[in-house]
């Protein structure tokens, strides 16, 4: 069996804005200068790949617990993944992040180092995250989530439909 490595990607901000027209829970992408990183590819449904937004470390992450829709990287020291805000993404609407830090300004270099540390941690310890993401997806689609978690999750089926329409 070939090990699949995680990648960090940015998703076209216009595409995210389009999806947000149909589901307010779709994460805002940062300004054009620095797009929010997403973890992908978590799984694929009918040729549509799923990506989950990655959060930078915040003090609150240290106190929060891992749940089916939220996962801390290195106990929150490296940030978290918001599976509840996963989105379907088609080819051409995402770009793999280049992890090279040569020639970057100090702030950009520090940010890339954080991303590199997050990616290294994911690939070392995040083996079951794909199964967790797919489990959340299936439970949401089958309406088997607790009410609070269900309310926090994007409407995956609606977003898949809108994703296919965007492609046309």
């Amino acid at each position: 069996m070939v090990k699949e490595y995680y990648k960090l990607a940015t998703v076209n901000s216009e595409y995210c804005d389009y999806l947000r027209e149909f589901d307010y829970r779709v994460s805002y992408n940062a300004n054009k200068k620095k797009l929010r990183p997403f973890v992908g590819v978590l799984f694929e449904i009918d040729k549509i790949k799923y990506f989950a937004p990655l959060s930078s470390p915040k003090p609150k992450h240290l106190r929060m617990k891992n749940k089916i829709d939220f996962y801390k990287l290195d106990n929150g020291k490296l940030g978290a993944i918001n599976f509840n805000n996963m989105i379907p993404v088609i080819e051409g609407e995402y770009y793999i992040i280049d992890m090279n830090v040569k020639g970057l300004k100090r702030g950009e270099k520090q940010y890339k180092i954080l991303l590199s540390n997050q990616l290294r941690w994911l690939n070392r310890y995040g083996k079951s995250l794909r199964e967790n993401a797919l489990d959340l997806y299936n439970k949401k689609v089958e309406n088997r989530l607790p009410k609070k978690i269900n309310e926090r999750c994007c409407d995956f089926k609606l977003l898949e439909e809108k994703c296919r329409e965007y492609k046309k």
Side-chain angles (χ1 to χ4, degrees):
M1 186 173 165
V2 177
K3 179 175 168 130
E4 286 188 59
Y5 290 96
Y6 293 102
K7 301 271 189 220
L8 297 184
T10 56
V11 177
N12 179 339
S13 58
E14 288 88 18
Y15 176 74
C16 289
D17 292 345
Y18 165 79
L19 290 181
R20 197 172 319 95
E21 290 175 24
F22 307 100
D23 191 331
Y24 69 93
R25 292 167 290 227
V26 172
S27 294
Y28 278 91
N29 232 335
N31 59 40
K32 301 258 189 253
K33 187 175 151 197
K34 187 170 87 178
L35 295 175
R36 171 186 294 281
F38 284 76
V39 178
V41 172
L42 294 168
F43 58 89
E44 196 169 321
I45 304 270
D46 298 327
K47 297 185 180 169
I48 296 174
K49 295 170 170 55
Y50 266 82
F51 292 79
L54 189 59
S55 291
S56 295
K58 295 174 183 63
K60 70 177 183 176
H61 290 155
L62 299 173
R63 296 184 306 274
M64 296 172 76
K65 290 185 171 30
N66 288 336
K67 295 188 176 182
I68 189 171
D69 65 332
F70 173 83
Y71 192 84
K72 301 188 301 184
L73 305 183
D74 195 14
N75 295 313
K77 293 180 221 143
L78 291 175
I81 304 172
N82 296 301
F83 289 118
N84 56 309
N85 298 129
M86 296 188 289
I87 58 171
V89 184
I90 52 174
E91 285 297 326
E93 296 303 322
Y94 69 91
Y95 310 93
I96 302 302
I97 296 173
D98 175 7
M99 295 304 206
N100 189 355
V101 295
K102 289 183 180 160
L104 294 177
K105 294 178 185 154
R106 182 181 148 99
E108 294 169 328
K109 191 178 283 191
Q110 288 175 310
Y111 181 66
K112 283 277 178 97
I113 289 169
L114 170 63
L115 291 177
S116 294
N117 289 337
Q118 290 172 325
L119 186 59
R120 191 175 305 109
W121 192 93
L122 281 165
N123 283 317
R124 188 174 295 153
Y125 302 109
K127 293 174 183 54
S128 65
L129 295 181
R130 284 186 172 89
E131 291 96 33
N132 291 0
L134 190 55
D135 186 40
L136 174 67
Y137 173 90
N138 287 326
K139 286 179 177 172
K140 170 70 176 176
V141 167
E142 296 163 3
N143 203 20
R144 295 187 298 122
L145 287 172
K147 188 176 191 280
K148 277 199 178 287
I149 293 174
N150 189 54
E151 290 170 353
R152 286 195 300 253
C153 288
C154 287
D155 184 339
F156 304 133
K157 281 299 188 186
L158 173 64
L159 293 178
E160 285 174 21
E161 178 187 316
K162 297 307 175 183
C163 174
R164 284 186 193 90
E165 289 174 10
Y166 187 84
K167 191 174 170 181
K168 296 173 185 167

